[in-house]
Amino acid sequence: MRCPTCTGLPITESGDALSIQMRREVRDQVKASQSERDIYGLMVARYGSATLLKPPKQGLNLVVWATPLLALGAGAVHFWRTFRFQQTRRELGTATDPYLAQVRQETGSRKSGDS
């Protein structure tokens, strides 16, 4: 469990008064033979899911976890489409552009005639 007032410290390492109180509550719950799941549920109900060192991947947390993966996927799609577009453009430019073919033919014939 994470200290709600400290930055990233677990309650076992924090000297904050709230962390000390949370440790007492956890200790009391363990003495009362509560399960780990029940203890976590009680602490989340009192202090919110931000107290968990590994918050559940739901709601806003899900967006935080999914955004880098979506950005990576979007970048890969963009790269692939750009590469394919340039390759298709090169192929189309050499095969179907009559003006380009005529220019290449004329410049080729001049070069061979000049030599």
Side-chain angles (χ1 to χ4, degrees):
M1 303 200 77
R2 180 184 338 211
C3 173
T5 56
C6 304
T7 307
L9 282 177
I11 61 172
T12 56
E13 295 177 13
S14 175
D16 187 61
L18 186 56
S19 291
I20 294 169
Q21 178 184 352
M22 289 173 72
R23 282 195 304 256
R24 279 192 209 121
E25 289 177 23
V26 169
R27 199 173 300 122
D28 292 343
Q29 294 297 319
V30 169
K31 285 180 184 176
S33 299
Q34 294 291 323
S35 70
E36 185 175 328
R37 188 177 195 160
D38 292 338
I39 295 171
Y40 280 123
L42 176 69
M43 293 306 210
V44 168
R46 286 188 184 168
Y47 302 105
S49 63
T51 59
L52 298 176
L53 286 173
K54 294 181 182 177
K57 294 175 182 87
Q58 62 186 9
L60 183 59
N61 289 335
L62 183 61
V63 172
V64 171
W65 279 96
T67 299
L69 296 175
L70 292 174
L72 183 63
V77 167
H78 175 71
F79 176 76
W80 180 78
R81 289 186 67 184
T82 301
F83 178 74
R84 293 290 298 160
F85 177 73
Q86 288 178 355
Q87 185 178 11
T88 304
R89 215 170 126 195
R90 273 188 239 121
E91 290 170 0
L92 288 176
T94 58
T96 61
D97 189 358
Y99 179 73
L100 181 61
Q102 181 184 358
V103 169
R104 285 187 177 156
Q105 183 181 12
E106 289 176 4
T107 56
S109 64
R110 285 184 187 162
K111 286 182 183 177
S112 60
D114 290 337
S115 315

